[in-house]
Amino acid sequence: MIEFIAQNMAPIMFASLIIFLLIGYPVAFSLAANGLMFFFIGVVLSPYSGGSINLAWPLLHALPDNFYGSRVMSNDTLLAIPFFTFMGIVLERSGMAEDLLDTIGQLFGPIRGGLAYAVIFVGALLAATTGVVAASVIAMGLISLPIMLRYGYDRRLASGVIAASGTLAQIIPPSLVLIVLADQLGRSVGDMYAGALIPGLVLTGIYMLYILIMSIVRPQSMPALPLEARTLGHGVLSLLAALLVTVAVSYAAYRYFAPTHGDNADILGACVGVVLIYVVAIADQRLNFNMMSRLAQQVIIVLIPPLALIFLVLGTIFLGIATPTEGGAMGAVGALAMAAMKGRLSLDVIKQALASTTRLSSFVLFILIGARVFSLTFYGVNGHIWVEHLLTSLPGGEIGFLIGVNILVFLLAFFLDFFELAFIIVPLLAPAADKLGIDLIWFGVLLGVNMQTSFMHPPFGFALFYLRSVAARVPYLDRLTGKQIAPVTTGQIYWGAVPFVCIQVIMIGLTIAFPQMVMHYKGAAVDPGTIDIQLPDMPGLSPLGTPPADGGAPANGGAAPAAPANDLSQPPNFGDAPPAKPAPPATDLSQPPNFN
């Protein structure tokens, strides 16, 4: 019995961790306690394991290095988490989400499902600026849910759209999940961001396609805004004219900058066009020139600052100007500037943002420390080899492995948060994926899309909890219409999430079927046969790979080198007399020594 336990320590250790988590112990302490407990058991049972346990008491000395080394306390990659968290919370307090939802809702208002389109569009924008799911879901739940209920939207549809749009912050950069996944997989955060961008945008498009289908199949579930609710009036043609002017100015600026700035000319030209139309819109609104409609003014003024912030964060990362940590720092400063411009930056807002950032960063840090303790023991009992053999033996090769792993993560997401999945499961899966030749960026993006479901799973999805916390629980009187609005039940929130969980599963399949959505991060492949290396002509040397011409004379016509003045077979002489040779020994060493 003891031999059986010793030789199967890895599966027993993993199963006991799952039991700890299901009982309800905090994840960080479950990981650390489980690791230390099985370390002591492993040291005792090591003689009975037949060599499968490699644990000894001195191995505990490696823990301080694990804590303070490059994986935890000195990890520069994880510095991006507090920056992006702070940026997201400041933006949420600045009222940017409220302005965006109101303006985009007015823009899409005349069509069926317009508010739902606006929520998805704003959810994608918030995801690209905040990267924090809680901030996105709570902001949109507080602002858009009462409006959608006021104008007769189906409660299940409204709840599902808000929760799903908030979870876009999981996969659209600068997602905190992608930072953690890149760290655990040992890959660049910039590459992970570049790989996840297209799948995130495709998922947003599928959400909108679902709304389009539902607006045709069930038009009564998402009516258009009534005329009296469109306070900004009409003006789409004015907005289109402003966009055409922006494109024309950007192209002209691009042609101007192209001779001197090369590849950066397109970016500079776009900046010139956007800044010009933004300044014109503000001047038109403040000075009443009436060149644009009110709708065009509001869309331009509200939309350009968050787009500029997205470029400040993601554009600098993708262009190689800044690292993700530096991009996060610039984003945090940009969020403070946007809040100050709106007059909503106060000491109280900064205190709330710092407190929330400290809580989340400490949460991540403690889980990572616990994971280091767990992995020290788990690797000592050859757990990584057990997991690798278990996963690489799945039928179907690479595709079978991806399908099996995604089913496993999907099921575990019912019970575990995405941080817990990233720190516990991903380090066990990555070696097996690498051994099968799977690109780890592609693998990480797949897991990121899958981990979105951890926020949407009924009944444990955190996005559903966030929405439940801000949705009306009792009937209330609408402040504009004076009508009594029925509350949103928990069951309606859960049922509303189901179609979007199915869409996320479909997106996992699409990412597996079309890996180029992610693999574009590598850029175009280079044919080694087309590489031509040119070396400068160096006098006195013959071309590489050819013998000297004319029996030693240089091939380029230069003079032959003179013979060396010194004999290089002898030690160097610096002008001193050559050392005298040592005298022969006085005694005959061929005879035994004489001590008389």
Side-chain angles (χ1 to χ4, degrees), residues 115-134:
L115 287 176
Y117 290 124
V119 168
I120 294 173
F121 183 80
V122 173
L125 277 180
L126 290 178
T129 49
T130 65
V132 182
V133 173

Side-chain angles (χ1 to χ4, degrees), residues 523-540:
V526 178
D527 182 7
T530 62
I531 300 176
D532 184 22
I533 301 176
Q534 298 287 341
L535 294 178
D537 187 24
M538 301 180 66

Side-chain angles (χ1 to χ4, degrees), residues 176-424:
L176 301 184
V177 177
L178 297 178
I179 296 174
V180 174
L181 284 174
D183 175 68
Q184 294 300 301
L185 294 170
R187 291 298 183 267
S188 162
V189 177
D191 287 344
M192 191 70 77
Y193 279 178
L197 186 60
I198 290 180
L201 296 178
V202 171
L203 184 60
T204 305
I206 297 176
Y207 284 169
M208 290 190 173
L209 180 62
Y210 171 72
I211 297 301
L212 175 62
I213 294 172
M214 289 300 293
S215 67
I216 298 172
V217 175
R218 295 178 55 203
Q220 72 281 0
S221 65
M222 51 181 75
L225 279 180
L227 190 60
E228 62 272 14
R230 303 174 203 167
T231 56
L232 293 178
H234 300 284
V236 176
L237 290 178
S238 176
L239 179 61
L240 291 176
L243 290 176
L244 289 175
V245 170
T246 304
V247 171
V249 172
S250 299
Y251 181 73
Y254 161 73
R255 295 298 299 269
Y256 176 78
F257 288 121
T260 55
H261 291 80
D263 293 338
N264 294 329
D266 52 351
I267 297 173
L268 292 173
C271 290
V272 170
V274 170
V275 170
L276 177 64
I277 201 67
Y278 184 66
V279 171
V280 169
I282 291 179
D284 191 42
Q285 185 187 60
R286 301 283 174 84
L287 303 176
N288 295 320
F289 290 148
N290 295 323
M291 292 186 296
M292 301 180 186
S293 65
R294 288 184 58 210
L295 179 64
Q297 290 174 1
Q298 191 68 11
V299 169
I300 292 171
I301 292 172
V302 168
L303 202 57
I304 286 181
L307 290 177
L309 188 62
I310 292 171
F311 174 75
L312 180 67
V313 176
L314 297 182
T316 53
I317 294 173
F318 290 155
L319 291 173
I321 300 173
T323 65
T325 303
E326 294 165 347
M330 289 191 295
V333 174
L336 290 172
M338 283 183 60
M341 288 168 58
K342 291 179 177 291
R344 298 180 182 179
L345 183 63
S346 63
L347 186 60
D348 186 54
V349 168
I350 296 177
K351 284 182 178 178
Q352 292 177 17
L354 288 174
S356 299
T357 302
T358 303
R359 279 196 298 269
L360 181 63
S361 302
S362 302
F363 171 73
V364 172
L365 192 63
F366 271 94
I367 290 182
L368 189 53
I369 289 175
R372 290 290 91 207
V373 179
F374 177 83
S375 64
L376 178 72
T377 303
F378 197 68
Y379 277 64
V381 299
N382 288 328
H384 59 299
I385 298 176
W386 169 70
V387 172
E388 184 177 309
H389 288 171
L390 184 67
L391 294 175
T392 54
S393 61
L394 290 172
E398 178 182 307
I399 300 299
F401 169 81
L402 291 174
I403 293 174
V405 164
N406 278 283
I407 291 174
L408 172 67
V409 172
F410 180 82
L411 295 175
L412 289 175
F414 276 99
F415 314 103
L416 301 179
D417 180 43
F418 71 93
F419 277 128
E420 300 158 9
L421 287 169
F423 288 127
I424 299 172

